[in-house]
Amino acid sequence: MEKAMQQSHHIGFAEYQRKLKQRLAVERKRQQDHQKCKLFAAAYINQQNR
């Protein structure tokens, strides 16, 4: 998990746990990525159904 946090968010897990501001920024980015993926998947499914 530590390696994934470093690669994805450039922050260690311990620092993520300690700093609320960093945690909120990481969670905001995760939410944005999730929304992008949902839109991409919906567009892909819509394109396949044509």
PDB file of all heavy atoms in Angstrom, residues 28-45:
ATOM      1  N   ARG A  28      -9.955  13.843  -2.778  1.00  0.00           N
ATOM      2  CA  ARG A  28     -10.554  14.650  -3.846  1.00  0.00           C
ATOM      3  C   ARG A  28     -10.088  14.145  -5.212  1.00  0.00           C
ATOM      4  O   ARG A  28     -10.883  13.985  -6.131  1.00  0.00           O
ATOM      5  CB  ARG A  28     -10.174  16.111  -3.654  1.00  0.00           C
ATOM      6  CG  ARG A  28     -11.083  17.088  -4.328  1.00  0.00           C
ATOM      7  CD  ARG A  28     -10.768  18.544  -3.967  1.00  0.00           C
ATOM      8  NE  ARG A  28     -10.766  18.786  -2.528  1.00  0.00           N
ATOM      9  CZ  ARG A  28      -9.690  19.156  -1.825  1.00  0.00           C
ATOM     10  NH1 ARG A  28      -8.540  19.357  -2.406  1.00  0.00           N
ATOM     11  NH2 ARG A  28      -9.780  19.347  -0.526  1.00  0.00           N
ATOM     12  N   LYS A  29      -8.795  13.857  -5.325  1.00  0.00           N
ATOM     13  CA  LYS A  29      -8.243  13.350  -6.586  1.00  0.00           C
ATOM     14  C   LYS A  29      -8.809  11.969  -6.903  1.00  0.00           C
ATOM     15  O   LYS A  29      -9.148  11.682  -8.055  1.00  0.00           O
ATOM     16  CB  LYS A  29      -6.725  13.285  -6.509  1.00  0.00           C
ATOM     17  CG  LYS A  29      -6.068  12.867  -7.812  1.00  0.00           C
ATOM     18  CD  LYS A  29      -4.557  12.925  -7.715  1.00  0.00           C
ATOM     19  CE  LYS A  29      -3.888  12.626  -9.022  1.00  0.00           C
ATOM     20  NZ  LYS A  29      -3.976  11.271  -9.467  1.00  0.00           N
ATOM     21  N   ARG A  30      -8.948  11.122  -5.893  1.00  0.00           N
ATOM     22  CA  ARG A  30      -9.538   9.797  -6.109  1.00  0.00           C
ATOM     23  C   ARG A  30     -10.967   9.914  -6.618  1.00  0.00           C
ATOM     24  O   ARG A  30     -11.386   9.189  -7.514  1.00  0.00           O
ATOM     25  CB  ARG A  30      -9.540   8.989  -4.813  1.00  0.00           C
ATOM     26  CG  ARG A  30      -8.232   8.403  -4.453  1.00  0.00           C
ATOM     27  CD  ARG A  30      -8.379   7.576  -3.208  1.00  0.00           C
ATOM     28  NE  ARG A  30      -7.112   7.014  -2.799  1.00  0.00           N
ATOM     29  CZ  ARG A  30      -6.890   6.452  -1.644  1.00  0.00           C
ATOM     30  NH1 ARG A  30      -7.855   6.355  -0.756  1.00  0.00           N
ATOM     31  NH2 ARG A  30      -5.713   5.966  -1.344  1.00  0.00           N
ATOM     32  N   GLN A  31     -11.724  10.834  -6.039  1.00  0.00           N
ATOM     33  CA  GLN A  31     -13.115  11.037  -6.452  1.00  0.00           C
ATOM     34  C   GLN A  31     -13.177  11.505  -7.908  1.00  0.00           C
ATOM     35  O   GLN A  31     -14.008  11.036  -8.683  1.00  0.00           O
ATOM     36  CB  GLN A  31     -13.798  12.037  -5.528  1.00  0.00           C
ATOM     37  CG  GLN A  31     -15.272  12.219  -5.798  1.00  0.00           C
ATOM     38  CD  GLN A  31     -16.081  10.975  -5.497  1.00  0.00           C
ATOM     39  OE1 GLN A  31     -15.711  10.143  -4.690  1.00  0.00           O
ATOM     40  NE2 GLN A  31     -17.201  10.849  -6.168  1.00  0.00           N
ATOM     41  N   GLN A  32     -12.295  12.430  -8.273  1.00  0.00           N
ATOM     42  CA  GLN A  32     -12.259  12.920  -9.654  1.00  0.00           C
ATOM     43  C   GLN A  32     -11.904  11.795 -10.621  1.00  0.00           C
ATOM     44  O   GLN A  32     -12.512  11.674 -11.688  1.00  0.00           O
ATOM     45  CB  GLN A  32     -11.260  14.065  -9.789  1.00  0.00           C
ATOM     46  CG  GLN A  32     -11.703  15.337  -9.114  1.00  0.00           C
ATOM     47  CD  GLN A  32     -10.610  16.384  -9.066  1.00  0.00           C
ATOM     48  OE1 GLN A  32      -9.446  16.107  -9.344  1.00  0.00           O
ATOM     49  NE2 GLN A  32     -10.975  17.606  -8.693  1.00  0.00           N
ATOM     50  N   ASP A  33     -10.925  10.983 -10.267  1.00  0.00           N
ATOM     51  CA  ASP A  33     -10.532   9.854 -11.112  1.00  0.00           C
ATOM     52  C   ASP A  33     -11.683   8.862 -11.264  1.00  0.00           C
ATOM     53  O   ASP A  33     -11.921   8.336 -12.352  1.00  0.00           O
ATOM     54  CB  ASP A  33      -9.311   9.132 -10.542  1.00  0.00           C
ATOM     55  CG  ASP A  33      -8.030   9.926 -10.687  1.00  0.00           C
ATOM     56  OD1 ASP A  33      -8.012  10.893 -11.486  1.00  0.00           O
ATOM     57  OD2 ASP A  33      -7.047   9.585 -10.005  1.00  0.00           O
ATOM     58  N   HIS A  34     -12.400   8.635 -10.184  1.00  0.00           N
ATOM     59  CA  HIS A  34     -13.531   7.714 -10.215  1.00  0.00           C
ATOM     60  C   HIS A  34     -14.616   8.233 -11.165  1.00  0.00           C
ATOM     61  O   HIS A  34     -15.163   7.472 -11.968  1.00  0.00           O
ATOM     62  CB  HIS A  34     -14.089   7.521  -8.806  1.00  0.00           C
ATOM     63  CG  HIS A  34     -15.249   6.598  -8.730  1.00  0.00           C
ATOM     64  ND1 HIS A  34     -15.138   5.249  -8.930  1.00  0.00           N
ATOM     65  CD2 HIS A  34     -16.558   6.840  -8.497  1.00  0.00           C
ATOM     66  CE1 HIS A  34     -16.328   4.689  -8.818  1.00  0.00           C
ATOM     67  NE2 HIS A  34     -17.214   5.633  -8.561  1.00  0.00           N
ATOM     68  N   GLN A  35     -14.910   9.519 -11.082  1.00  0.00           N
ATOM     69  CA  GLN A  35     -15.915  10.113 -11.959  1.00  0.00           C
ATOM     70  C   GLN A  35     -15.491  10.037 -13.421  1.00  0.00           C
ATOM     71  O   GLN A  35     -16.309   9.736 -14.300  1.00  0.00           O
ATOM     72  CB  GLN A  35     -16.184  11.574 -11.567  1.00  0.00           C
ATOM     73  CG  GLN A  35     -16.892  11.739 -10.250  1.00  0.00           C
ATOM     74  CD  GLN A  35     -18.279  11.104 -10.247  1.00  0.00           C
ATOM     75  OE1 GLN A  35     -18.977  11.107 -11.245  1.00  0.00           O
ATOM     76  NE2 GLN A  35     -18.644  10.535  -9.111  1.00  0.00           N
ATOM     77  N   LYS A  36     -14.204  10.296 -13.695  1.00  0.00           N
ATOM     78  CA  LYS A  36     -13.699  10.199 -15.071  1.00  0.00           C
ATOM     79  C   LYS A  36     -13.851   8.789 -15.612  1.00  0.00           C
ATOM     80  O   LYS A  36     -14.263   8.597 -16.754  1.00  0.00           O
ATOM     81  CB  LYS A  36     -12.223  10.603 -15.132  1.00  0.00           C
ATOM     82  CG  LYS A  36     -11.986  12.036 -15.454  1.00  0.00           C
ATOM     83  CD  LYS A  36     -10.573  12.272 -15.923  1.00  0.00           C
ATOM     84  CE  LYS A  36      -9.678  12.536 -14.754  1.00  0.00           C
ATOM     85  NZ  LYS A  36      -8.316  12.918 -15.145  1.00  0.00           N
ATOM     86  N   CYS A  37     -13.528   7.812 -14.798  1.00  0.00           N
ATOM     87  CA  CYS A  37     -13.637   6.413 -15.222  1.00  0.00           C
ATOM     88  C   CYS A  37     -15.089   6.029 -15.481  1.00  0.00           C
ATOM     89  O   CYS A  37     -15.379   5.311 -16.451  1.00  0.00           O
ATOM     90  CB  CYS A  37     -13.026   5.479 -14.182  1.00  0.00           C
ATOM     91  SG  CYS A  37     -11.243   5.561 -14.128  1.00  0.00           S
ATOM     92  N   LYS A  38     -16.009   6.497 -14.638  1.00  0.00           N
ATOM     93  CA  LYS A  38     -17.424   6.199 -14.846  1.00  0.00           C
ATOM     94  C   LYS A  38     -17.916   6.805 -16.154  1.00  0.00           C
ATOM     95  O   LYS A  38     -18.649   6.155 -16.908  1.00  0.00           O
ATOM     96  CB  LYS A  38     -18.258   6.742 -13.678  1.00  0.00           C
ATOM     97  CG  LYS A  38     -18.230   5.866 -12.452  1.00  0.00           C
ATOM     98  CD  LYS A  38     -18.980   6.416 -11.283  1.00  0.00           C
ATOM     99  CE  LYS A  38     -20.331   6.972 -11.584  1.00  0.00           C
ATOM    100  NZ  LYS A  38     -21.056   7.432 -10.387  1.00  0.00           N
ATOM    101  N   LEU A  39     -17.512   8.044 -16.454  1.00  0.00           N
ATOM    102  CA  LEU A  39     -17.914   8.681 -17.707  1.00  0.00           C
ATOM    103  C   LEU A  39     -17.332   7.948 -18.910  1.00  0.00           C
ATOM    104  O   LEU A  39     -18.004   7.748 -19.924  1.00  0.00           O
ATOM    105  CB  LEU A  39     -17.488  10.143 -17.721  1.00  0.00           C
ATOM    106  CG  LEU A  39     -18.260  11.078 -16.804  1.00  0.00           C
ATOM    107  CD1 LEU A  39     -17.630  12.463 -16.792  1.00  0.00           C
ATOM    108  CD2 LEU A  39     -19.712  11.159 -17.217  1.00  0.00           C
ATOM    109  N   PHE A  40     -16.085   7.556 -18.804  1.00  0.00           N
ATOM    110  CA  PHE A  40     -15.431   6.819 -19.879  1.00  0.00           C
ATOM    111  C   PHE A  40     -16.134   5.488 -20.126  1.00  0.00           C
ATOM    112  O   PHE A  40     -16.413   5.124 -21.272  1.00  0.00           O
ATOM    113  CB  PHE A  40     -13.955   6.574 -19.536  1.00  0.00           C
ATOM    114  CG  PHE A  40     -13.231   5.777 -20.572  1.00  0.00           C
ATOM    115  CD1 PHE A  40     -12.827   6.364 -21.751  1.00  0.00           C
ATOM    116  CD2 PHE A  40     -12.967   4.435 -20.365  1.00  0.00           C
ATOM    117  CE1 PHE A  40     -12.158   5.626 -22.726  1.00  0.00           C
ATOM    118  CE2 PHE A  40     -12.316   3.686 -21.324  1.00  0.00           C
ATOM    119  CZ  PHE A  40     -11.906   4.279 -22.506  1.00  0.00           C
ATOM    120  N   ALA A  41     -16.458   4.779 -19.068  1.00  0.00           N
ATOM    121  CA  ALA A  41     -17.128   3.485 -19.204  1.00  0.00           C
ATOM    122  C   ALA A  41     -18.516   3.662 -19.808  1.00  0.00           C
ATOM    123  O   ALA A  41     -18.923   2.885 -20.695  1.00  0.00           O
ATOM    124  CB  ALA A  41     -17.228   2.801 -17.851  1.00  0.00           C
ATOM    125  N   ALA A  42     -19.239   4.682 -19.381  1.00  0.00           N
ATOM    126  CA  ALA A  42     -20.569   4.927 -19.935  1.00  0.00           C
ATOM    127  C   ALA A  42     -20.495   5.270 -21.410  1.00  0.00           C
ATOM    128  O   ALA A  42     -21.301   4.801 -22.215  1.00  0.00           O
ATOM    129  CB  ALA A  42     -21.260   6.048 -19.158  1.00  0.00           C
ATOM    130  N   ALA A  43     -19.521   6.084 -21.787  1.00  0.00           N
ATOM    131  CA  ALA A  43     -19.352   6.442 -23.191  1.00  0.00           C
ATOM    132  C   ALA A  43     -18.984   5.221 -24.017  1.00  0.00           C
ATOM    133  O   ALA A  43     -19.484   5.034 -25.137  1.00  0.00           O
ATOM    134  CB  ALA A  43     -18.287   7.526 -23.339  1.00  0.00           C
ATOM    135  N   TYR A  44     -18.139   4.364 -23.483  1.00  0.00           N
ATOM    136  CA  TYR A  44     -17.726   3.163 -24.176  1.00  0.00           C
ATOM    137  C   TYR A  44     -18.922   2.215 -24.375  1.00  0.00           C
ATOM    138  O   TYR A  44     -19.136   1.690 -25.470  1.00  0.00           O
ATOM    139  CB  TYR A  44     -16.615   2.448 -23.403  1.00  0.00           C
ATOM    140  CG  TYR A  44     -16.138   1.191 -24.062  1.00  0.00           C
ATOM    141  CD1 TYR A  44     -15.289   1.239 -25.155  1.00  0.00           C
ATOM    142  CD2 TYR A  44     -16.556  -0.064 -23.600  1.00  0.00           C
ATOM    143  CE1 TYR A  44     -14.862   0.078 -25.779  1.00  0.00           C
ATOM    144  CE2 TYR A  44     -16.123  -1.229 -24.210  1.00  0.00           C
ATOM    145  CZ  TYR A  44     -15.277  -1.151 -25.298  1.00  0.00           C
ATOM    146  OH  TYR A  44     -14.855  -2.295 -25.908  1.00  0.00           O
ATOM    147  N   ILE A  45     -19.700   2.040 -23.336  1.00  0.00           N
ATOM    148  CA  ILE A  45     -20.873   1.156 -23.425  1.00  0.00           C
ATOM    149  C   ILE A  45     -21.877   1.726 -24.429  1.00  0.00           C
ATOM    150  O   ILE A  45     -22.437   0.999 -25.235  1.00  0.00           O
ATOM    151  CB  ILE A  45     -21.506   0.972 -22.030  1.00  0.00           C
ATOM    152  CG1 ILE A  45     -20.597   0.104 -21.164  1.00  0.00           C
ATOM    153  CG2 ILE A  45     -22.895   0.349 -22.145  1.00  0.00           C
ATOM    154  CD1 ILE A  45     -20.979   0.055 -19.704  1.00  0.00           C
TER     155      ILE A  45
END
